[in-house]
Amino acid sequence: MNGLDKILDSSKILWHQDRLEKWKRGERFAPITVDMSLTQACNYSCVFCYAALQENDGFKISEDVMRRFLDDCAEIGVKAISLVSDGESTISPAFKFTVQYGHAKGINMAVGSNGFLLTKEVLEDILPCLTYLRFNFSGGERERYAQIMGVKESSFDQVCQNIRDAMEIKKRRNLECTVGMQMVLMPDMADQIMPLAKLGKELRPDYLVIKHCSDDEKGSLGVKYEEYRKTYDLLEAAEALSDEEYLVKVKWSKINAEGQRDYEQCYGAPFILQLSGTGLVAPCGPLFNEQYKRYHIGNICDESFKDIVFGDRYWEVMKELGSDRFNAKTMCGTLCLQHKTNEVLDKFKKGEGSLDKPEGEPPVHLNFV
């Protein structure tokens, strides 16, 4: 599947030797990937939603804010921006502008969305500008989809049609954008694994990825990680539905980790930075909430992103995360966006692995680390 099976459960950090060299020398550098949202609002109410744990004070992100932000990103060398994070970016008035302007500035753009507002008209405008589009879709049957994702059953039909339209547009216009579906799996949603895998085979996106559900360090969402073991047979059966044009991929490494980390320090945040839908710049999503204000750095709505990234405050926070004053095992949410990159960097720090550039051709979606 064009290398998709190799990138959906791994880090691509070793392909970015320029940033790694600066990191090893203790120099300041721009993130490779920025994961952000244009709002904290959402038109869904998913049972597994981590955003409820990420509330923070901030601003409304306008088109003007994003113009300045994207100009800064292009200038300092940010290579990719994914509109995912802690809100549904498609409901923002700045959504289409952000995708198109970011693409025009030479930045790889991507979107993760519940997909309800991604109608054919919108898709025609944004798909040519995207590296990937991911539909967050965690139920294969109308009634269960509505229960899990907190919407009316009719939303199921609308999003299914939007996925069909996305694939029709991609094929008709011969676009390179990868179109996928993603299931955030909680153990008590196991009954939807096979129905969703079969639905994907009908809708024909490029892939369906099935991933764990993240929780905070207090276990606020109540994810019982040991219960994932009971889903393994179903997950293997779902993967067996893959064919030449449709990949079902389980994020086995994170599911098998059962919410645990082998590392204590966080080194990945400077490479994969996260921004809240309020404009807040923080190292990662699990630290967005106001209770973690000591790790908050600035806000793109009233500050230059370039100045933030190369400022003293930014690097003071990053240095603390990589020190013995921070313990990711006890002070941070589980299996975060930076997890796979942290594994690579931690092994290097412990003398158990190298940061040599891999051999062969670079993977797809290279700049989404």
Side-chain angles (χ1 to χ4, degrees):
M1 270 301 299
N2 299 319
L4 284 174
D5 57 326
K6 298 178 181 178
I7 68 165
L8 292 173
D9 192 22
S10 62
S11 170
K12 296 181 281 291
I13 188 63
L14 294 179
W15 290 94
H16 296 275
Q17 292 292 313
D18 57 334
R19 299 299 208 276
L20 288 171
E21 289 300 323
K22 290 182 178 181
W23 177 70
K24 286 188 286 185
R25 293 193 298 263
E27 298 176 9
R28 299 182 180 188
F29 57 92
I32 303 164
T33 309
V34 172
D35 180 272
M36 66 180 298
S37 180
L38 301 176
T39 177
Q40 272 205 324
C42 189
N43 49 353
Y44 273 44
S45 185
C46 302
V47 297
F48 52 79
C49 184
Y50 198 97
L53 310 176
Q54 297 174 298
E55 294 181 3
N56 61 84
D57 296 329
F59 305 86
K60 288 187 176 180
I61 298 177
S62 66
E63 193 171 297
D64 286 342
V65 167
M66 288 309 300
R67 185 188 304 274
R68 295 193 303 271
F69 171 77
L70 292 167
D71 285 343
D72 276 353
C73 286
E75 180 181 345
I76 66 178
V78 172
K79 298 180 180 181
I81 295 174
S82 53
L83 297 179
V84 185
S85 200
D86 59 343
E88 177 55 45
S89 289
T90 62
I91 69 177
S92 167
F95 171 67
K96 190 185 295 187
F97 166 80
T98 297
V99 172
Q100 294 177 326
Y101 190 71
H103 175 71
K105 297 294 291 188
I107 302 168
N108 293 163
M109 303 297 296
V111 170
S113 169
N114 58 49
F116 184 76
L117 295 177
L118 293 177
T119 59
K120 192 169 186 177
E121 180 181 3
V122 176
L123 291 167
E124 292 277 11
D125 289 337
I126 67 168
L127 277 179
C129 302
L130 295 177
T131 298
Y132 74 78
L133 170 60
R134 189 188 72 216
F135 288 85
N136 299 323
F137 202 109
S138 291
E141 299 168 321
R142 293 176 86 251
E143 182 177 357
R144 287 287 281 135
Y145 174 93
Q147 292 171 349
I148 292 167
M149 305 196 73
V151 291
K152 296 179 180 178
E153 290 185 25
S154 58
S155 298
F156 176 92
D157 303 314
Q158 177 64 57
V159 180
C160 284
Q161 185 57 50
N162 293 347
I163 295 171
R164 292 188 188 96
D165 288 341
M167 294 306 297
E168 186 276 326
I169 293 168
K170 171 181 174 171
K171 292 177 179 178
R172 169 168 47 85
R173 299 180 63 175
N174 195 28
L175 301 176
E176 294 184 359
C177 175
T178 302
V179 177
M181 297 169 68
Q182 174 176 274
M183 179 187 199
V184 176
L185 174 67
M186 297 182 79
D188 60 3
M189 293 156 49
D191 64 300
Q192 292 303 291
I193 293 173
M194 289 305 295
L196 183 55
K198 292 176 181 178
L199 176 65
K201 204 168 180 71
E202 295 175 14
L203 298 177
R204 308 303 295 175
D206 295 310
Y207 69 86
L208 164 67
V209 64
I210 303 174
K211 61 167 286 187
H212 66 291
C213 179
S214 294
D215 207 341
D216 67 5
E217 69 273 25
K218 301 173 185 176
S220 299
L221 295 179
V223 184
K224 298 178 181 178
Y225 287 103
E226 67 280 1
E227 294 292 312
Y228 279 117
R229 300 173 196 171
K230 298 178 181 178
T231 70
Y232 286 4
D233 288 347
L234 287 170
L235 292 172
E236 290 172 355
E239 286 192 322
L241 291 179
S242 300
D243 57 42
E244 292 184 358
E245 296 182 345
Y246 168 62
L247 171 70
V248 181
K249 176 67 175 179
V250 176
K251 288 197 172 185
W252 286 109
S253 71
K254 287 190 174 183
I255 287 178
N256 289 332
E258 297 188 355
Q260 302 301 312
R261 291 181 167 93
D262 292 330
Y263 56 88
E264 296 181 351
Q265 278 68 56
C266 174
Y267 303 114
F271 299 93
I272 317 171
L273 184 69
Q274 290 186 270
L275 275 65
S276 172
T278 64
L280 170 70
V281 179
C284 64
L287 298 179
F288 283 167
N289 193 282
E290 284 295 305
Q291 66 179 305
Y292 306 111
K293 202 161 188 174
R294 61 180 290 190
Y295 302 111
H296 294 178
I297 300 165
N299 194 297
I300 63 169
C301 294
D302 62 0
E303 300 174 67
S304 158
F305 184 61
K306 177 182 177 180
D307 291 345
I308 290 173
V309 169
F310 290 98
D312 291 342
R313 170 64 181 166
Y314 183 96
W315 290 100
E316 287 170 2
V317 171
M318 297 303 177
K319 185 176 181 180
E320 179 165 341
L321 295 183
S323 74
D324 57 11
R325 297 191 302 277
F326 184 82
N327 189 333
K329 290 182 177 181
T330 59
M331 299 170 66
C332 200
T334 59
L335 304 178
C336 61
L337 181 65
Q338 295 84 359
H339 177 67
K340 300 304 293 183
T341 294
N342 272 328
E343 288 183 331
V344 174
L345 300 177
D346 183 67
K347 287 182 179 179
F348 170 77
K349 282 284 189 176
K350 292 175 178 175
E352 299 172 358
S354 76
L355 296 182
D356 295 340
K357 184 177 180 179
E359 297 180 357
E361 292 295 318
V364 296
H365 303 178
L366 177 65
N367 294 325
F368 296 91
V369 180

